[in-house]
Amino acid sequence: MFRRLILAAPLLVLAACGPADKPAGSKTAAPAIAPAPAMATRKDASGAVDRFTPYVGGPLMLDEFSVGPVMAQTDFSLDAIKPRFPKAVVKSAFLHQGSGEPTPIITVEQGGGMIEIQGNPGTTKVGDIRVSGGAPKGPRGETLGMKWADAGMDYPRCWAGKDRDVHAVICTQPGEPVLRYVFGVPGWTQEAMPPEATLRDKAVLREFLWRGGAPVQ
């Protein structure tokens, strides 16, 4: 019996020298992995839109505060717009509508899409921005061609368009007056607002309109 206890003693010593149990909640350190760079105007892990990286392709993210890398603080000038769209054709143009003087605009063409940027009256900054074609994407995943019934719009937040948007319907989301959704309504030729049933059946998202100035209808 005494001999067995003597033989067991080294085993107890070795067990005492083994790795101690880790306290609850401790974590094993893992090698740091650098996150992949986000594409221009994609959302990061926190859900925030990257407004500071030039747009080079992919979905053009829009929200209440920006159209891709263009924000209300962006100067209305070719020098300010071109670096934000390094792979696009960016040029000055004029928007002709109605009988008044043509409106100076800056156009951005890339990937089959067109962005029309106006100046904000009385300032040197950008104003209204219209996005058609290409791959723009709204804050809730809205894309061009989406049906009104699938876009989560409320009928009381929509109104009949006018001027270049005549026969179309413009909608906003609650608490977001700046970003507008322009829906075409095939076959609708009246200037009055179509019935909700008509919107659900026929209306599709054709453009985004971002109001850089004071949001008015």
Side-chain angles (χ1 to χ4, degrees):
M1 181 68 176
F2 182 74
R3 179 178 178 83
R4 289 179 182 173
L5 290 175
I6 293 175
L7 290 174
L11 296 177
L12 293 174
V13 174
L14 289 174
C17 296
D21 290 339
K22 294 180 180 180
S26 64
K27 296 182 180 179
T28 302
I33 300 175
M39 281 191 68
T41 71
R42 295 285 181 94
K43 290 189 176 182
D44 62 21
S46 67
V49 174
D50 178 5
R51 313 178 205 284
F52 305 100
T53 303
Y55 174 77
V56 295
L60 177 70
M61 305 302 295
L62 290 75
D63 63 12
E64 185 74 356
F65 305 102
S66 72
V67 174
V70 178
M71 301 169 282
Q73 298 88 349
T74 303
D75 287 334
F76 177 64
S77 69
L78 288 176
D79 289 341
I81 301 300
K82 279 185 174 181
R84 288 170 164 78
F85 298 93
K87 293 190 175 183
V89 177
V90 182
K91 55 188 178 182
S92 297
F94 287 92
L95 179 64
H96 298 268
Q97 55 182 359
S99 57
E101 292 292 322
T103 303
I105 63 173
I106 294 174
T107 61
V108 179
E109 298 179 60
Q110 181 176 341
M114 169 70 79
I115 304 174
E116 301 175 25
I117 305 172
Q118 297 185 30
N120 190 356
T123 77
T124 60
K125 308 302 180 182
V126 299
D128 292 355
I129 302 176
R130 186 179 293 264
V131 183
S132 57
K137 198 170 193 178
R140 297 166 185 78
E142 302 93 345
T143 55
L144 298 182
M146 176 178 283
K147 295 186 66 174
W148 187 90
D150 298 329
M153 300 293 164
D154 291 330
Y155 188 75
R157 296 186 179 279
C158 301
W159 61 91
K162 56 186 179 181
D163 299 327
R164 68 182 292 183
D165 295 318
V166 66
H167 305 150
V169 169
I170 302 174
C171 302
T172 61
Q173 290 285 12
E176 299 180 2
V178 174
L179 182 60
R180 311 290 179 87
Y181 303 80
V182 183
F183 290 87
V185 188
W188 186 257
T189 58
Q190 302 179 39
E191 295 186 16
M193 183 70 176
E196 183 173 356
T198 300
L199 294 184
R200 291 190 175 278
D201 184 46
K202 296 183 177 181
V204 293
L205 184 59
R206 77 179 192 193
E207 293 175 325
F208 290 94
L209 178 59
W210 189 84
R211 299 302 309 271
V216 295
Q217 285 190 199

